Structure formats: C-alpha cells, structure tokens
Amino acid sequence: MRFDPEFALSVVPTILHGLGTTLWITVAASLGAAVLGFALEILRRSNRWLGYVMRFVIDAIRSTPVLVQLYFIYFVLPVYGLTLPAAASGVLGLSIYYSGYLAEVFKGGIDSIDAGQFEAGKALGLRRRDVILSVILPQMLRNVAAPMGNYFVSALKATPYLAVIAVPEMLGIAMEVGADSFRYAEPMVSVGIIFLILALCINFFVRRLEQRLQIAHQR
Amino acid sequence: MTSSPSAPAVRIAGLQKWYGSFQVLHDIDLTVQSNERIVICGPSGSGKSTLIRCVNQLETHDRGTIEVSGQQVGRHTPRMHIIRRDIGMVFQHFNLFPHLTVLQNCTLALRKARGMGQAQAEDVARHYLERVRIPEQQDKYPGQLSGGQQQRVAIARALCMNPKVMLFDEPTSALDPEMIKEVLDVMTDLAKEGMTMICVTHEMNFARTVADRVVFMDAGRIVEQADPETFFTAPAHPRARQFLSQLL
C-alpha cells in the first residue's frame, strides 16, 4: 500500500478532537506532579525519619515504569474498592510518576540557593517569613522554572500512554482511525507531526522564559 | 527592654563556643564603645569570623554574655530579628539578592522590616548608593556588577537600615586586588564619619590608618589588644610578633 498524503491530511480533524483531552491531561498532570513533588520534598526535609521514608517513596516512584503505575491504578485499585474514571486515573498516574522527578527538581532548586542568602536576609533584620517569601522563594522558582518546563513537555509526551486505559486522547483516536480504515501509517504520521508541533511550541516558550529569567538571575 | 545611651555598642564577656567537642572560642572579653573602630586580625581558624557572627547571632554562643547597646543577645533571645535591624553586616561573599536590582536590594529591608513606603525607601537607598559612589547602577542586577561594586552595594544595603554598629566579615578577601581599594575607601569614609565598626580583615594598612584598636586572635582566644601604632611597631605577645612577621 502506498502512503496516501491526502488521507493523512483528512484524518487530522478527527485526531484533533482529542487535542482538548491531551492538553487538559498535560496541564492537570503537570500541576498534580508539581504539588505532589513539592510536598514530597518538603516532607523529606522536615525530619530525619520522614526523610528516609520519603527518599524510599521518591526512589520507588522513579524506578517503576509509568505504564506499570498506570495499569496499577486502573486495574488493581478497583479490586480494593477505589474505582476512578479512566481520565482521572491517567492524571493521577502521571502526577504520581512525575512527582518523583519534580521532588528532585525542587531539591536542586532549594539546595542551589547559597546559604549566605538566608544569612543576609536575617542580618538585615527580616523576619524568617519575609526571608523565605522575598529572598528564597523567588530564587527557587527561577531555579525550577526551566526544568519544570521540560517536565511539562514530558507530560505531554506521556499522554499517549493513557490510550491503553481507554482515554480519548490523540493517539488513541489515531489508533481507532487506523483500525477503522485498515491504514495505520497515515494516522500515525499525522498524530506524530501534531505532537511534534505541540512540543516545539512549548519548548520555544520554555526557552524564552529561561532567557528572561537568566538576565534577572545572574550571580 | 530599651537600650541605654551610655552602654557600650558591644560588650562581650566570658564568651565560649564549641562546635561539637572542639572549642572554637575561649573566654572572650571585648568591649567596643560607640564610634570606636575595631579591627580583628589573626591566622585562619582563630575564631575571628565566628566571634563577630555571634554578635548578631548568626552563630550562637554556649557560655558568656553578649550585649548590643545594653541589650543581651543569645540563642533564646525573643525577636532577635528586631535587634538585628540595628546591626549592619557586610559579608565576604557580598550575599546580594541576585533576583533584585541594586535599588531593590537596598529597599527590601526598609519596606519589610521598617515598614517604609516605596518612595521613601528609594530615597534612602539612593542616598546611601551615592555615599558608596555607585548611584548610577541602581537599576542593574548584582550579576552585572564587578565584585568591588557588589560589595559597595552590600555596604549601602546595610547602611540603609541606619545601624548603630557595622560588622565587616573579611569584606575584601573575595575581591580581585584592583577592587580592594574602592571598598576600603568607602569603609574609611564610614569610619571618618564616626560609625562604630568591628572589622575582621587581613588588610593591615587599613587597620593602621583607620582602627582605634587592633585585636589579635589566635586559636580562639584574644591574645593581644592595642592601638595600631603599638600593635604594629611593638607587639607584646610572641604569637602576635610571629603573625606580623609573616605578614609584613
């Protein structure tokens, strides 16, 4: 069978029906991962024993394949009474998976702030709360902005995993089109190009953000 | 508790400090009057930085007392942050806030700690940026300045809070040689205007011209205290003599 560019083009609108789902899952999973990852890192720092537990949790999350974690939430949890709709399972799974990585990003973001920053704030007579809000937090956010942008792209690229748990995102739709028409090559090329364009756009904005923060953040 | 006007700027008595089992400060007694300029010198590891960092409690002491303007400070002092507003500190590595402009670095504490409005804070900041001869850099970020410029901004930032005593922790040790003079000039001006200063430094010429008293520390003890003339020409203690012979 010859590759049919017209067919490839014609299935694009159908595939784009899943764009909304792909995007909201990407955003929700990124936010979920950020909140969870930040919580994991704060808990890890808070006391010694909790630190060991959190270290294990973070490492375990980073060591198991994302597909395994998704299947676990979708197939295993219902056995114990916790049944979530497919998309919610998917968002939860991706959030947990990337929280492990983002915990490390937050750790790096906080550790890379020089201890002298806190001392300078204290020496000026600022309250601890003001030092954290005005001195530490802005620097931490600048430190984590670029890595988090990259994980946002990773979350986008992970949304196709959710096809295996029947979520109507773009790859799932492309597979359906292929199954219906017996032509898989064209939908795969189309969906691949759509993802490429999305990822390039996000990368462009992340790089712009990085450049703007660089000027303000030079040491 | 309000500070009494006749109290010395800083009074340290019987100070002792340990890091674990290692004693880093032994029986330190030091009184600094208002308008006095003290230089603390000595070999590395003698406890000089630790000592001045105890004054504003960036380090805590284990025994003995420290009084700043008559007010006692220690690890359990409540609202230490308020007392710190009257103590200015300049660090070896400047510690400017990289995400804020020069002007914002100076106004931050004025707005948050002294509750000043934006306009008034900026006026104060510009005044001190002129004093350290760097007013044109107000909208630059620290990363865009040289080391000498950064340290002068750090001095201005500390001065904005109108402190009663300024602590300098090796302010020129991290600077390239050609930038040391500009910082020392600013510090000399400050001294001439009567600021109470406690300065840990290796810059002996500065000590000689500016200090009222030189304090020599070795292995966690104050070994000798004297006016600069006496200290540099006829040091009494053998360790002081040895230190100076290596330096000059």
Side-chain angles (χ1 to χ4, degrees):
Chain A
M1 269 202 303
R2 249 185 49 233
F3 184 84
D4 183 357
E6 259 186 52
F7 181 61
L9 217 51
S10 73
V11 300
V12 166
T14 315
I15 294 174
L16 285 180
H17 282 144
L19 180 63
T21 307
T22 296
L23 287 178
W24 86 253
I25 290 178
T26 304
V27 170
S30 299
L31 283 176
V35 168
L36 214 51
F38 189 72
L40 279 177
E41 177 55 18
I42 295 299
L43 285 175
R44 194 190 65 84
R45 283 169 186 269
S46 61
N47 86 45
R48 223 175 112 200
W49 296 112
L50 205 52
Y52 293 136
V53 171
M54 287 301 130
R55 179 79 267 160
F56 173 76
V57 169
I58 293 172
D59 286 347
I61 293 173
R62 294 178 66 188
S63 310
T64 41
V66 63
L67 216 42
V68 169
Q69 294 181 27
L70 285 173
Y71 274 138
F72 188 87
I73 293 171
Y74 192 65
F75 290 119
V76 177
L77 289 188
V79 174
Y80 296 96
L82 184 61
T83 310
L84 294 166
S89 302
V91 169
L92 182 64
L94 290 181
S95 296
I96 293 175
Y97 182 69
Y98 284 114
S99 72
Y101 290 95
L102 288 187
E104 289 297 305
V105 168
F106 285 119
K107 177 184 192 306
I110 298 174
D111 285 347
S112 66
I113 299 177
D114 189 64
Q117 290 294 300
F118 208 95
E119 290 191 343
K122 266 166 80 168
L124 286 168
L126 291 170
R127 270 172 312 186
R128 186 185 165 83
R129 164 176 47 162
D130 288 327
V131 179
I132 291 177
L133 288 178
S134 300
V135 176
I136 304 295
L137 197 63
Q139 293 186 56
M140 192 205 74
L141 289 177
R142 278 168 172 78
N143 286 342
V144 302
M148 282 198 61
N150 291 329
Y151 277 110
F152 188 70
V153 176
S154 297
L156 171 73
K157 293 191 292 178
T159 56
Y161 284 123
L162 269 48
V164 305
I165 54 174
V167 171
E169 52 72 57
M170 289 195 295
L171 181 69
I173 294 177
M175 292 290 283
E176 269 179 35
V177 168
D180 288 343
S181 64
F182 299 107
R183 307 180 71 105
Y184 285 96
E186 289 83 355
M188 284 308 119
V189 167
S190 296
V191 78
I193 291 176
I194 293 172
F195 269 110
L196 180 61
I197 294 172
L198 280 175
L200 286 177
C201 287
I202 298 177
N203 271 328
F204 173 75
F205 284 114
V206 169
R207 229 180 305 281
R208 275 264 302 268
L209 185 65
E210 247 180 283
Q211 281 168 353
R212 275 199 59 192
L213 293 177
Q214 263 302 91
I215 302 173
H217 185 62
Q218 284 168 20
R219 301 197 125 267
Chain B
M1 195 167 97
T2 51
S3 53
S4 53
S6 59
V10 176
R11 195 211 310 267
I12 301 171
L15 201 71
Q16 318 221 38
K17 180 177 169 67
W18 284 265
Y19 281 134
S21 56
F22 175 69
Q23 187 163 7
V24 62
L25 292 174
H26 300 253
D27 291 319
I28 304 285
D29 294 307
L30 180 65
T31 302
V32 180
Q33 303 293 345
S34 291
N35 309 121
E36 252 198 304
R37 286 73 50 102
I38 308 286
V39 163
I40 304 179
C41 63
S44 298
S46 54
K48 327 184 282 292
S49 286
T50 310
L51 179 61
I52 65 163
R53 285 159 63 90
C54 285
V55 173
N56 68 354
Q57 290 291 293
L58 286 186
E59 306 259 7
T60 53
H61 55 282
D62 299 307
R63 286 209 201 126
T65 58
I66 303 180
E67 283 173 20
V68 178
S69 298
Q71 217 169 344
Q72 206 170 90
V73 300
R75 73 177 74 215
H76 301 297
T77 305
R79 312 225 300 266
M80 184 69 214
H81 60 281
I82 296 184
I83 301 174
R84 287 199 184 105
R85 290 169 194 173
D86 292 326
I87 309 172
M89 183 149 195
V90 176
F91 299 85
Q92 183 176 346
H93 296 288
F94 333 136
N95 290 341
L96 292 180
F97 305 131
H99 59 295
L100 300 176
T101 63
V102 162
L103 193 68
Q104 289 166 340
N105 260 272
C106 294
T107 58
L108 179 66
L110 287 173
R111 290 184 301 112
K112 301 278 179 188
R114 296 238 192 259
M116 255 188 220
Q118 180 76 21
Q120 190 188 2
E122 287 187 1
D123 283 341
V124 173
R126 286 196 193 100
H127 168 76
Y128 286 106
L129 287 174
E130 281 204 39
R131 281 270 293 272
V132 302
R133 308 176 202 159
I134 196 169
E136 72 284 356
Q137 309 288 353
Q138 65 167 35
D139 294 319
K140 293 248 175 78
Y141 287 92
Q144 298 170 298
L145 301 179
S146 72
Q149 291 172 318
Q150 289 189 54
Q151 192 62 300
R152 285 188 279 149
V153 172
I155 295 174
R157 179 178 67 174
L159 289 176
C160 280
M161 294 294 281
N162 201 17
K164 299 208 188 76
V165 57
M166 285 282 280
L167 306 175
F168 291 86
D169 188 359
E170 301 207 33
T172 57
S173 296
L175 295 175
D176 289 337
E178 66 270 17
M179 291 190 266
I180 293 180
K181 180 180 186 303
E182 68 193 64
V183 174
L184 290 181
D185 284 345
V186 166
M187 290 168 65
T188 306
D189 285 348
L190 207 56
K192 286 205 187 107
E193 286 157 20
M195 172 65 75
T196 313
M197 293 164 65
I198 307 178
C199 191
V200 172
T201 185
H202 298 298
E203 293 292 324
M204 292 305 146
N205 278 327
F206 174 78
R208 234 175 160 145
T209 45
V210 163
D212 296 309
R213 207 185 342 151
V214 176
V215 171
F216 176 73
M217 283 185 69
D218 185 45
R221 287 174 211 276
I222 293 183
V223 161
E224 183 161 345
Q225 286 189 54
D227 64 276
E229 210 41 54
T230 311
F231 181 78
F232 287 109
T233 53
H237 199 278
R239 277 298 284 129
R241 283 202 289 271
Q242 184 185 19
F243 177 73
L244 285 174
S245 69
Q246 288 166 343
L247 216 57
L248 303 164

